[in-house]
């Protein structure tokens, strides 16, 4: 991923937060010469067995995901060593009207983290069940309303044979946080305020990230 220097994350916590807050990743890996690359949208969580803090570059962290075993992408994982996970965070269109100068050009503020790693398919049904349960627990805790999965465990066991779980050990991670850093402070402020005043949650989330950026003059 091409990242101009002024769009790099202030520190690794920004990448970790984006992954946790936006866990629906686009998983990509190579296929054969006929089908080409595979890409599947799927939920990803940090491996609960991962101990300690994330490293500064996220290298060595482990992530868990799962997809339908009927998906040809699952079968391709048996011959694939590397997977790329792309996480998309808050993003919003920037109208030239907020620049208050002419000529000007529109742009798009956006945030994304690309994680590359070694992928390991999980064959054990019990381990697969653990991944499904951990994923449900993580998302219910962060985004849900207190649902108790204990009464659904037998149902989980029925559907798990159709689930393909995998583990990714991170070898490289890059984050781009394109949030008008190249603009003068007063222009960045106008862009932020224009986003903060919108009803759309995506715009407000982008504004909040812009507010958190370290202040510096251009």
């Amino acid at each position: 991923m091409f990242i101009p220097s002024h769009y790099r994350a202030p520190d690794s916590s920004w990448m970790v937060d984006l992954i946790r807050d936006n866990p629906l990743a686009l998983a990509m890996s190579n296929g054969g010469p006929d089908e080409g690359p595979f890409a599947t949208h799927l939920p990803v969580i940090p491996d609960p067995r991962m101990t300690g803090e994330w490293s500064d570059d996220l290298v060595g962290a482990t992530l868990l995901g799962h997809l339908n075993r009927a998906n040809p992408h699952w079968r391709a994982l048996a011959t694939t060593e590397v997977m790329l996970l792309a996480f998309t965070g808050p993003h919003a269109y920037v109208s030239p009207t907020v620049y208050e100068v002419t000529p000007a050009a529109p742009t798009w503020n956006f945030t994304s983290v690309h994680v590359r790693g070694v992928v390991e398919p999980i064959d054990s049904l019990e381990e697969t069940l653990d991944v499904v349960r951990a994923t449900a627990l993580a998302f219910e805790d962060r985004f849900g309303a207190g649902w108790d999965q204990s009464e659904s465990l037998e149902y989980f066991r029925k559907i798990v044979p159709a689930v393909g779980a995998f583990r990714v050990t991170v070898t490289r991670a890059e984050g781009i946080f394109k949030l008008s850093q190249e603009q003068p402070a007063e222009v960045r402020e106008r862009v932020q305020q224009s986003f903060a005043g919108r009803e759309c949650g995506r715009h407000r989330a982008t504004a909040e990230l812009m507010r958190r950026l370290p202040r510096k003059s251009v």
Side-chain angles (χ1 to χ4, degrees):
M1 178 165 58
F2 172 65
I3 309 174
S5 60
H6 44 273
Y7 295 151
R8 293 192 176 276
D11 59 65
S12 62
S13 69
W14 285 57
M15 292 197 292
V16 174
D17 288 347
L18 189 146
I19 291 171
R20 290 186 183 276
D21 292 342
N22 305 273
L24 185 67
L26 178 60
M28 293 164 277
S29 55
N30 289 332
D34 294 331
E35 66 268 20
F38 288 98
T40 302
H41 292 275
L42 47 79
V44 173
I45 62 167
D47 189 339
R49 298 185 301 180
M50 186 171 61
T51 59
E53 298 294 327
W54 296 65
S55 65
D56 288 343
D57 55 8
L58 277 61
V59 171
T62 52
L63 304 172
L64 300 176
H66 64 277
L67 70 167
N68 194 317
R69 283 179 178 258
N71 186 337
H73 197 169
W74 166 251
R75 295 195 297 274
L77 295 187
T79 57
T80 300
E81 291 187 359
V82 177
M83 176 175 281
L84 175 64
L85 298 169
F87 299 86
T88 301
H91 58 93
Y93 171 73
V94 182
S95 170
T97 58
V98 299
Y99 295 149
E100 298 182 2
V101 296
T102 299
T107 190
W108 205 286
N109 278 2
F110 68 95
T111 57
S112 180
V113 172
H114 286 191
V115 173
R116 190 181 305 272
V118 177
V119 61
E120 173 195 355
I122 296 173
D123 294 322
S124 162
L125 288 182
E126 283 303 314
E127 277 194 84
T128 300
L129 177 61
D130 289 343
V131 171
V132 171
R133 292 194 63 191
T135 302
L137 285 170
F139 293 161
E140 190 63 28
D141 179 64
R142 197 165 184 87
F143 309 113
W147 172 68
D148 181 358
Q149 67 173 245
S150 60
E151 295 184 0
S152 299
L153 292 185
E154 287 308 310
Y155 174 68
F156 278 16
R157 291 186 182 279
K158 289 179 181 178
I159 64 174
V160 152
V163 175
F166 60 86
R167 179 179 293 104
V168 173
T169 302
V170 179
T171 56
R172 182 179 180 183
E174 298 177 299
I176 183 168
F177 292 80
K178 181 182 178 295
L179 299 169
S180 300
Q181 294 97 319
E182 78 284 5
Q183 296 293 339
E186 62 272 15
V187 174
R188 292 200 302 269
E189 181 68 21
R190 286 199 296 272
V191 173
Q192 178 191 338
Q193 292 303 318
S194 73
F195 291 163
R198 299 284 291 273
E199 293 185 3
C200 173
R202 175 168 50 79
H203 284 78
R204 293 198 301 271
T206 307
E208 175 58 22
L209 283 178
M210 293 183 70
R211 186 193 66 77
R212 289 174 50 197
L213 280 174
R215 297 293 180 179
K216 59 182 178 181
S217 57
V218 177

